[in-house]
C-alpha cells in the first residue's frame, strides 16, 4: 500500500464533536512525547501535517487525519498522550474520560499503542494494554525511536512486547524510514 495524499480533518475535545467517518480508523495511543505525531508525519512524508513538540502533553485534543492510499483510505486519530504532562489533575482526568469514551464508543479498526524503544515498558503502558484487553479493543504495538538502539535490542524488545501483550509489534523510526513499508503493509492487511 502506498500513501497518495494525507490531510488534517479536525481537532475535537471529545467524541461527541467528532464527525462520523465511513472509513477504517486507527486510534493512536501512547505516553506523552512517545512520537505519535512524528509517526504520522513520517508515514505520510509530510513534515508538518501533525504538530510535534519536545514538551510532553501538547496534544490535548482528538486530531483526525484522512490518509488516501492506492488501495483504501483510512483515518488516523491522534489522541492525547497518557503519563507525564504539566497540566492540572482536573485536566488529566478530563483527558482520561474523553480517551476512554472515544475508545469504547468509536467504531475502530484497531488501536495502535506506541512504546519508546529506549526504555523499559512503563507501568502506564501496561495499564493501558490491560484496559484494552479487558474491553476487548484490538491493538497493535509500534516500537518507536528504534534508531537509538541496536538491531539486536530491537528484536529483543519486539519479542518481549509480543509475549507480554500478545499483539503484533512493529519497529519504527522517524530517522530511519526502512520501517514505513512494514507498518503500511500491516495496516493494509487490517483494512482489506
Amino acid at each position: 500500500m502506498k500513501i497518495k495524499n494525507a490531510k488534517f480533518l479536525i481537532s475535537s475535545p471529545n467524541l461527541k464533536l467528532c464527525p462520523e467517518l465511513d472509513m477504517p480508523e486507527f486510534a493512536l495511543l501512547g505516553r506523552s512525547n512517545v512520537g505519535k505525531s512524528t509517526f504520522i508525519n513520517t508515514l505520510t512524508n509530510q513534515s508538518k501535517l501533525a504538530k510535534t513538540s519536545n514538551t510532553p502533553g501538547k496534544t490535548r485534543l482528538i486530531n483526525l487525519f484522512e490518509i488516501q492510499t492506492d488501495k483504501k483510505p483510512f483515518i488516523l486519530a491522534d489522541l492525547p498522550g497518557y503519563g507525564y504532562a504539566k497540566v492540572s489533575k482536573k485536566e488529566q482526568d478530563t483527558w482520561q474520560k474523553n480517551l476512554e469514551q472515544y475508545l469504547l464508543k468509536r467504531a475502530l479498526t484497531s488501536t495502535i499503542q506506541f512504546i519508546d524503544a529506549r526504555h523499559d515498558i512503563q507501568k502506564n503502558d501496561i495499564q493501558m494494554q490491560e484496559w484494552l484487553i479487558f474491553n476487548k479493543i484490538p491493538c497493535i504495538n509500534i516500537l518507536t525511536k528504534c534508531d537509538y538502539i541496536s538491531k539486536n535490542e530491537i528484536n529483543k524488545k519486539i519479542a518481549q512486547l509480543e509475549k507480554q501483550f500478545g499483539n503484533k509489534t512493529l519497529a519504527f523510526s522517524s530517522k530511519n524510514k526502512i520501517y514505513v513499508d512494514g507498518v503500511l503493509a500491516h495496516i493494509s492487511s487490517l483494512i482489506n
Side-chain angles (χ1 to χ4, degrees):
M1 178 168 68
K2 299 277 182 237
I3 291 177
K4 293 162 74 174
N5 190 27
K7 65 181 179 182
F8 168 76
L9 292 178
I10 191 170
S11 286
S12 173
N14 55 46
L15 173 63
K16 192 165 55 174
L17 297 175
C18 287
E20 286 294 328
L21 302 163
D22 190 25
M23 284 181 253
E25 184 170 328
F26 297 85
L28 309 185
L29 304 167
R31 289 171 51 81
S32 296
N33 229 30
V34 75
K36 298 186 312 293
S37 299
T38 302
F39 169 83
I40 293 168
N41 292 341
T42 303
L43 205 65
T44 62
N45 203 26
Q46 293 186 40
S47 62
K48 295 186 176 160
L49 181 62
K51 290 186 178 140
T52 61
S53 171
N54 289 329
T55 308
K58 281 296 183 188
T59 301
R60 297 182 180 197
L61 301 169
I62 298 163
N63 297 304
L64 300 179
F65 300 86
E66 182 179 328
I67 314 299
Q68 293 290 333
T69 75
D70 57 350
K71 302 218 166 137
K72 264 185 174 171
F74 63 93
I75 300 295
L76 291 178
D78 188 9
L79 304 182
Y82 53 81
Y84 172 82
K86 286 186 180 178
V87 295
S88 71
K89 175 84 169 93
K90 184 179 175 190
E91 191 167 356
Q92 283 186 13
D93 290 344
T94 301
W95 287 358
Q96 182 69 28
K97 186 175 138 243
N98 288 337
L99 180 71
E100 286 182 13
Q101 187 180 51
Y102 192 87
L103 295 172
L104 290 170
K105 297 187 177 173
R106 190 79 166 176
L108 297 171
T109 303
S110 182
T111 57
I112 302 175
Q113 184 183 21
F114 292 79
I115 308 283
D116 191 327
R118 301 170 301 172
H119 308 295
D120 290 334
I121 301 168
Q122 303 293 304
K123 183 179 175 186
N124 47 13
D125 291 325
I126 295 167
Q127 288 171 334
M128 174 57 76
Q129 191 59 223
E130 288 171 347
W131 187 87
L132 292 169
I133 291 165
F134 177 80
N135 289 288
K136 298 180 174 58
I137 298 170
C139 184
I140 62 172
N141 295 105
I142 300 281
L143 193 61
T144 63
K145 308 186 185 192
C146 285
D147 46 291
Y148 290 99
I149 64 174
S150 71
K151 184 75 174 154
N152 191 33
E153 286 178 282
I154 292 168
N155 291 335
K156 278 185 192 169
K157 292 246 179 185
I158 288 173
Q160 177 192 5
L161 278 168
E162 289 186 341
K163 182 178 180 191
Q164 187 167 351
F165 291 163
N167 299 329
K168 177 71 175 167
T169 301
L170 302 162
F172 195 80
S173 163
S174 61
K175 291 190 174 120
N176 186 347
K177 296 182 181 176
I178 61 168
Y179 302 110
V180 169
D181 288 344
V183 170
L184 287 174
H186 191 72
I187 289 174
S188 180
S189 75
L190 295 175
I191 63 178
N192 287 325

